Each structure stands twice: as C-alpha cells, then as structure tokens.
Amino acid sequence: MAHSTPQAPFFPEASAIPTSWLYEAFRRANEREHRAGPLIKLHVGEPAFGPPESVGRALAEAVLDGRTRYIDVQGLMELREAISEKLDTVNGIDAPADRLFVTPGSCQGLSALLRTLAEPGAEILMPQIHWPVHLQQALLAGLRPVFYGLDDTLAPDVESVRAASGPNTRILLLNSPSNPTGALLSRETQTRLHELASERGWQIVSDEAYEDFVYASEHVSIASLERGLDPSRRLVNSVFTFSKGLAMTGYRLGYVAVARPKVCDAMRMVQESSIIAPSAPIQYAGISALHARESIAGNHAFVRANRDLMLPALTEAGLLPALPGGGWYAMADISSSGMTGEQFAAELLHKEGVAVVPGGGFSACPEFGADGTLRPLRPGGVADGLVRIAFCADRDQLAAGIERIVALVQRKQKEAR
C-alpha cells in the first residue's frame, strides 16, 4: 500500500506576513543599481554623515583588549548607567539602570517589548499610517492591531484613539517624531493620551528613534510625565536607538526603559531566551558614543537644512502640505499623477534612477479569517497615493531626486489632460 509523502509544516502566521515594503524597496534599488549603475537613494534612512571617530576606536580597542565575553542579559552595567544619566538629563526620564535593557538596535528592543507585553486576545492601538516593522512585530507577538486616525498634521487624534479602543485593548503604540510622516506629539496631546491610558489600564510603547531630529518644537518623552511616580503605577515603556542622532546604523545598538519591575522581570526572560545579550564590543562603542553626544547638534543641523532648503520644492508643487515637524522623512502625495505609490516608485526607479518607498506599505491593514487566522498581508489603504522620501541623504543627491520626482508628477499630469 502506497504511503503519501508527509507535507512540510506550514506556519500560517509568519507566512502571511511579508518582508516589509521598506526591504522590498531596498532590494529593488540594489538590483537596479547592479544592473544599470548608480542611482539616487532616497528610500532608506541612511544618513550622509557617520558616527564619531571615537566610536570605531572604542569598538576596536574592546576587541583587541579581549573584552568580548558574556555579559548580563540587560547589558553592560557601565553602559546602562550612562544611558540612565542621559535619560535623566536629556529626556527627563528617571529610569535606573536596573530597569534598562541594551538591545541590538531599537528594532529588536521593540520586538522583545511587544512579546513581553502580549497576552492572548490582546489588541494594540497603532497609527493609521505606521512603520511597517511595527506591524510585523505586533503580529509576530500575537497581538491584534487596531488602527487609530490622525489629525491634519498626521499626528495621533486623541478622540480617534478613544473610539478605536475596546475591552481587549492592552497597548497604545506611539511614535514621535513619526516614521514615516515626521509628525510630532505635543506635550498637551501626550498628557491626554497618558490620562486615557491610565484610565483604561493600558501600557504605552513609545518609539523615540528620531528624538534628536525635532524642528517645529521640542522633543517630549511621554515617560517624563511619570517622573517621580511609583514604578508599580507607571505605564510608559520607551525605546531609543544609537542609529539616528549618533549615526550608528550598522552597529545595531539601542535600549529600552521599561515601566514596571514586573515588566522588567518578564522582558529579562524574553531577552535571555532569544539573544542572551548584545555584542560586548558594540556596547563599549556605545559608551564612547554617549561621551560624544556633541556630534548630534551638527547632524541635526544638516538634516534640518536639507528639510528647509530642499523640501519647499515639494510644497510649491502641491505634493507636500507642510514641512515635516521632525524625523528624516516626508510623505509626498503623488496621487495627482494618476498613479499609485507603487506604480510611481517603480517608474521613478527604472526611468529616472531615483529610489523612494511606496506609501501603501505604511498603511497596510491586516485581515483575519473567522478562525482568527491572519490572511496574507497586502499593501494599500490611506497612504496608497503617497511615497516616502528620506531627506537625510547627501544634499546634492536630494536636490536632484526631488527635481525628478516633481518633473515626473508634472509630466503625468500633462499626459492626463
């Protein structure tokens, strides 16, 4: 009697979540560059500047000195103490070293944090236009995403957050300055959201990767509202990175300040079961970086000048309602071209040699079957007629790229008449 060949296992949750559209844009740009030569790269947040020279020396010295052994799951104590001081003086957050986690990039820190806070059937509130990796992380943690609306500046609308919440809401995700919109959360809005979360018993996850790039006001860390509050009553878990202000993108180094001791205990287990701890030499480089924070002012000035000098061409062409208040990105509305963001980005890449990211990947909304199974995730939604432009790039490249974006939109408008 013939036996059927056993089927390979199928993992429906992970299989239904594609690689992010950021990665897809990165892959397509690399293929285009390999095939046809150099292009203008406005698709990825890779700045035109690099980390302080002392950072590389500190990394090399740690390796050569043999400081490469296992360290605590939460990270090197000397680094955590330096981070604690930075949070206190820069962010107004009183986070002792024993409630800090050093992570291999803020991305892994966010993933570990969401896994720590997840529970069966729990929902997470996320912005309607969001970083695709946040969505991936939420789904992989077993959380059900629910999306809240944005105001006319693309910042979270408090009443929409209230309306989107329900009995299963457990986490409110905030990202200010926002990736991809550059929107900022004011102190007043953060206070109202914190009051709502406290009233409903939610935890808050605050992604502050772009804290050093705020142009329209000042950066406000929502955890600063809890300064002096008993740790057992705190709600805010804050996530930071060395990648942006200190330009350490490839070093992969970040940190998380958790709200409560019980959250700390759970996250320690998550970290132990997954990474043990980040690379020791990288953490020594992090100590050096925190001692060289004076470089951040120049990096901020460079990106702000890019925004102020180059992005007005987009506003004058009607593709951008206002300059972004913070961050490294602008979401240009190219819908007047008659194309979707996906179509526009493809033509821009292949005919004009400019790489941007289609907006549909920033507003994808997952669907679930009657049994709760995640259906294959597709791009689309409210950002489908937008493209994301990284304005942290080389200034001449940025100017040329924006010129070609505007020209392509105008050419398509003429063709449609």
Side-chain angles (χ1 to χ4, degrees):
M1 181 176 178
H3 295 281
S4 60
T5 303
Q7 293 292 313
F10 175 62
F11 307 101
E13 290 299 309
S15 299
I17 306 170
T19 55
S20 79
W21 290 271
L22 299 167
Y23 175 80
E24 186 63 19
F26 190 80
R27 183 189 64 79
R28 290 178 182 177
N30 285 348
E31 287 182 353
R32 161 64 169 74
E33 187 171 41
H34 179 74
R35 186 179 65 255
L39 51 82
I40 296 173
K41 300 177 181 178
L42 306 182
H43 62 305
V44 64
E46 189 68 64
F49 43 85
E53 287 186 19
S54 58
V55 171
R57 287 197 297 270
L59 173 66
E61 288 170 3
V63 173
L64 294 173
D65 291 348
R67 287 175 281 154
T68 57
R69 297 183 179 276
Y70 285 134
I71 50 180
D72 188 275
V73 166
Q74 288 185 237
L76 195 67
M77 178 56 76
E78 185 182 353
L79 176 55
R80 283 188 280 143
E81 289 174 344
I83 290 170
S84 178
E85 181 180 358
K86 176 263 178 184
L87 289 173
D88 181 43
T89 57
V90 176
N91 302 91
I93 300 173
D94 56 338
D98 62 3
R99 288 206 308 277
L100 295 176
F101 287 83
V102 181
T103 61
S106 62
C107 187
Q108 188 278 331
L110 282 160
S111 181
L113 181 58
L114 292 184
R115 290 170 63 196
T116 299
L117 298 175
E119 58 184 79
E123 294 178 348
I124 179 171
L125 296 175
M126 299 179 58
Q128 195 173 40
I129 301 178
H130 49 267
W131 187 41
V133 179
H134 283 152
L135 180 57
Q136 290 177 325
Q137 292 165 340
L139 292 169
L140 286 171
L143 294 161
R144 179 69 68 94
V146 176
F147 299 96
Y148 56 79
L150 307 174
D151 64 19
D152 55 5
T153 70
L154 299 182
D157 179 82
V158 178
E159 291 311 310
S160 180
V161 173
R162 188 189 302 275
S165 66
N168 294 323
T169 301
R170 295 294 182 271
I171 302 169
L172 171 63
L173 176 69
L174 303 175
N175 179 207
S176 177
S178 164
N179 176 5
T181 67
L184 303 177
L185 272 167
S186 68
R187 184 178 297 275
E188 178 187 0
T189 299
Q190 294 201 42
T191 299
R192 293 176 63 197
L193 289 170
H194 190 275
E195 290 171 351
L196 177 60
S198 180
E199 172 191 317
R200 303 289 176 88
W202 306 337
Q203 288 280 293
I204 295 174
V205 172
S206 178
D207 181 352
E208 301 180 34
Y210 296 90
E211 59 170 327
D212 298 310
F213 297 90
V214 176
Y215 318 115
S217 57
E218 62 173 351
H219 177 68
V220 178
S221 291
I222 190 169
S224 67
L225 303 179
E226 299 184 327
R227 191 176 183 93
L229 189 68
D230 187 275
S232 65
R233 297 173 54 202
R234 298 188 185 192
L235 313 172
V236 181
N237 306 276
S238 307
V239 185
F240 300 88
T241 183
F242 285 76
S243 292
K244 311 306 177 186
L246 290 158
M248 295 171 61
T249 53
Y251 280 77
R252 310 312 307 137
L253 190 63
Y255 52 100
V256 179
V258 300
R260 302 177 180 181
K262 286 188 176 180
V263 174
C264 187
D265 292 341
M267 186 155 163
R268 190 180 296 113
M269 182 281 299
V270 172
Q271 291 293 80
E272 182 181 16
S273 68
S274 55
I275 64 164
I276 304 297
S279 161
I282 297 296
Q283 295 195 51
Y284 285 107
I287 295 171
S288 175
L290 288 176
H291 292 152
R293 282 184 54 81
E294 67 276 1
S295 67
I296 292 174
N299 297 343
H300 171 102
F302 176 86
V303 181
R304 179 167 191 156
N306 273 8
R307 183 196 80 137
D308 295 345
L309 295 171
M310 300 298 130
L311 296 193
L314 295 173
T315 61
E316 292 163 9
L319 307 185
L320 192 66
L323 299 184
W328 284 3
Y329 310 104
M331 292 292 277
D333 184 348
I334 50 78
S335 58
S336 61
S337 69
M339 307 172 80
T340 65
E342 179 75 25
Q343 293 166 336
F344 185 88
E347 183 161 337
L348 187 70
L349 177 66
H350 293 292
K351 293 188 178 180
E352 304 296 334
V354 180
V356 296
V357 184
F362 297 96
S363 58
C365 184
E367 297 179 354
F368 297 85
D371 61 353
T373 301
L374 175 66
R375 293 174 179 161
L377 186 62
R378 307 292 184 207
V382 297
D384 205 33
L386 311 178
V387 295
R388 192 191 76 170
I389 300 167
F391 59 88
C392 57
D394 171 83
R395 191 162 297 155
D396 291 339
Q397 291 279 291
L398 177 62
I402 288 176
E403 183 179 352
R404 296 182 197 184
I405 290 167
V406 172
L408 179 57
V409 171
Q410 293 175 342
R411 187 162 66 249
K412 292 297 179 179
Q413 290 172 339
K414 288 179 181 178
E415 290 173 1
R417 290 183 190 137

